[in-house]
Amino acid sequence: PTNGQDVTGTNGEPGATVNVTTPGGASCTATVQGDGSWSCTLTGNLVNGDDITATQTDEAGNESAPTTVSGGLDTEAPGVTITAPVNGDLTNDNTPTVSGTSEAGAEISVTIGGVEVCTAVADNNGDWSCDVSPAVADGSVQIDVTASDAAGNTSNPESVTIDVDTTAPNAPLINTPTNGQDVTGTNGEPGATV
């Protein structure tokens, strides 16, 4: 499939002209290179799901039979969701596993601060996951995910923000003496469990 940016092929006769058309009215032409390859960019009305048909005409004016790729024009970006971690999660894992769903076969890119930290390919069920590397610093971390399909369409980013805390609290102080009825102390981290 292609999103129309580049339609490429092989098995052409060097010097021949390849004509590419779609039912929706998009078209392009290319000259076959010495190795039989050719490439052109569709212009006009790009309709998602359209067939792509190509013929080649040699320098003597002979036209080949057409070759058609059914539904070969794909102009829609895949969707992508993040199922873990959940927005607002508090974790002590600074290399969290990011997982979600997308279009089967989509290439998943996970970035933090504009830097790619892991990649994955969605399986036949559309599921994907990868582990963040290198480790992220403590604090608020925004995770952005995009999906790209085989036709070159890329989704808008999906994002979650988590809080990473890998720092252990100070040891608590116990107020002594006590008869065991009430054990009290200080120096605790607010919200921590003693």
Side-chain angles (χ1 to χ4, degrees):
T2 180
N3 59 9
Q5 297 304 304
D6 288 299
V7 182
T8 61
T10 58
N11 202 38
E13 180 179 307
T17 299
V18 175
N19 295 288
V20 181
T21 59
T22 70
S27 64
C28 64
T29 61
T31 300
V32 179
Q33 303 302 303
D35 63 358
S37 65
W38 56 270
S39 175
C40 64
T41 300
L42 286 171
T43 58
N45 187 30
L46 301 176
V47 178
N48 186 62
D50 258 4
D51 298 344
I52 298 175
T53 298
T55 61
Q56 67 173 328
T57 303
D58 65 19
E59 293 174 299
N62 302 302
E63 185 176 7
S64 72
T67 297
T68 298
V69 178
S70 180
L73 188 58
D74 178 0
T75 61
E76 292 185 357
V80 64
T81 61
I82 303 170
T83 55
V86 175
N87 197 52
D89 270 0
L90 174 63
T91 179
N92 62 1
D93 183 358
N94 60 6
T95 57
T97 298
V98 184
S99 58
T101 61
S102 186
E103 178 182 300
E107 296 183 359
I108 307 300
S109 174
V110 179
T111 59
I112 294 175
V115 177
E116 190 171 73
V117 292
C118 67
T119 61
V121 176
D123 65 20
N124 290 337
N125 296 319
D127 299 320
W128 59 267
S129 70
C130 62
D131 296 329
V132 168
S133 179
V136 297
D138 282 10
S140 179
V141 176
Q142 179 174 312
I143 299 171
D144 300 312
V145 177
T146 58
S148 300
D149 63 20
N153 302 300
T154 300
S155 71
N156 290 324
E158 186 77 9
S159 302
V160 295
T161 300
I162 63 174
D163 288 309
V164 177
D165 180 3
T166 61
T167 304
N170 294 326
L173 299 177
I174 300 174
N175 295 329
T176 57
T178 179
N179 62 5
Q181 297 304 302
D182 289 298
V183 181
T184 62
T186 59
N187 202 40
E189 179 178 306
T193 300
V194 176

